[in-house]
Amino acid sequence: NAGVTQTPKFRILKIGQSMTLQCTQDMNHNYMYWYRQDPGMGLKLIYYSVGAGITDKGEVPNGYNVSRSTTEDFPLRLELAAPSQTSVYFCASSGASSTDTQYFGPGTRLTVL
Amino acid sequence: GQQVMQIPQYQHVQEGEDFTTYCNSSTTLSNIQWYKQRPGGHPVFLIQLVKSGEVKKQKRLTFQFGEAKKNSSLHITATQTTDVGTYFCAVGSSNTGKLIFGQGTTLQVKP
């Protein structure tokens, strides 16, 4: 089991560029999440999904989009990157419920210049 | 809405000293989870507490759930440099049905 994998590990974007952060889990979990973590801060929920085809906004969704076409994959799309989106992005998944133990990926470190 | 407060935000200790972080909720909790994030790493699940007054130990780490199930603590005995990192508590929100993470306590250990 690889658990939760994320690509890329690092990325530098210019203002206005777009990109997709990839997240895949092999634990057959229904629930998946995207968080951002600014330096020295806690985790802020961007979007989450309770199953394939179902997504919903979290605390800070503006500037991002998600899709969930399969149980395994939950990509996060950044449109028109801004310096405020410089952060570390973590994908996570949980099995039994949305309050169950969450398993995190290694993160994507994004810098927008 | 439901809030979870974690204190202190930062703690610097000398290696060998003890360390405690506290997590406080405004509402009664069904359970609480603790996670550790090493510098440059990702959060990793440590433990879940469910019962009122529950105490669980993992080597030098002691986790406690309050009698009223509104607070929890993580105590590390005789800290080591390997304990460095940020410790997060997480609680299930009765409003949103999602996990809410505390702001974390960052522990620095001086060798």
Side-chain angles (χ1 to χ4, degrees):
Chain A
N1 270 359
V4 180
T5 57
Q6 290 183 240
T7 56
K9 286 187 169 56
F10 304 92
R11 184 71 186 268
I12 298 175
L13 283 181
K14 294 182 179 178
I15 295 172
Q17 287 186 320
S18 300
M19 76 166 293
T20 298
L21 282 65
Q22 301 292 345
C23 174
T24 300
Q25 54 93 7
D26 63 0
M27 296 174 283
N28 201 32
H29 284 170
N30 285 326
Y31 299 85
M32 295 188 75
Y33 316 84
W34 274 105
Y35 294 91
R36 61 175 286 173
Q37 185 178 38
D38 298 331
M41 304 295 285
L43 299 163
K44 293 183 179 179
L45 183 65
I46 305 171
Y47 269 97
Y48 67 101
S49 170
V50 302
I54 307 170
T55 62
D56 206 350
K57 297 177 181 178
E59 185 184 355
V60 289
N62 291 345
Y64 307 95
N65 276 302
V66 293
S67 60
R68 184 97 182 269
S69 57
T70 66
T71 299
E72 295 78 18
D73 301 306
F74 190 40
L76 176 72
R77 178 82 178 162
L78 276 72
E79 304 282 1
L80 299 174
S84 60
Q85 293 178 306
T86 294
S87 191
V88 180
Y89 292 84
F90 291 105
C91 179
S93 72
S94 63
S97 73
S98 57
T99 57
D100 198 10
T101 303
Q102 292 191 10
Y103 297 87
F104 286 79
T108 294
R109 282 151 182 79
L110 176 66
T111 302
V112 182
L113 300 173
Chain B
Q2 185 171 13
Q3 291 187 331
V4 56
M5 297 295 294
Q6 205 173 338
I7 54 171
Q9 190 173 0
Y10 300 99
Q11 184 93 55
H12 296 249
V13 300
Q14 198 72 39
E15 190 172 21
E17 292 181 337
D18 291 356
F19 159 77
T20 304
T21 174
Y22 300 90
C23 187
N24 299 306
S25 170
S26 55
T27 60
T28 302
L29 305 169
S30 57
N31 62 70
I32 189 164
Q33 299 173 22
W34 285 93
Y35 292 76
K36 176 182 179 181
Q37 182 179 24
R38 295 182 186 274
H42 60 277
V44 175
F45 173 76
L46 293 176
I47 208 159
Q48 176 170 281
L49 304 172
V50 179
K51 299 177 184 176
S52 167
E54 187 171 16
V55 178
K56 287 188 176 180
K57 293 191 176 184
Q58 290 179 350
K59 297 183 180 178
R60 294 178 294 102
L61 277 62
T62 301
F63 304 84
Q64 190 162 2
F65 205 4
E67 294 290 342
K69 299 183 74 173
K70 286 187 173 184
N71 56 70
S72 180
S73 64
L74 158 58
H75 180 82
I76 303 178
T77 303
T79 54
Q80 299 176 358
T81 54
T82 54
D83 296 323
V84 164
T86 300
Y87 294 84
F88 293 97
C89 63
V91 303
S93 168
S94 55
N95 293 335
T96 65
K98 294 192 293 294
L99 213 55
I100 297 176
F101 284 84
Q103 287 301 303
T105 295
T106 298
L107 172 65
Q108 298 279 7
V109 179
K110 300 176 190 176

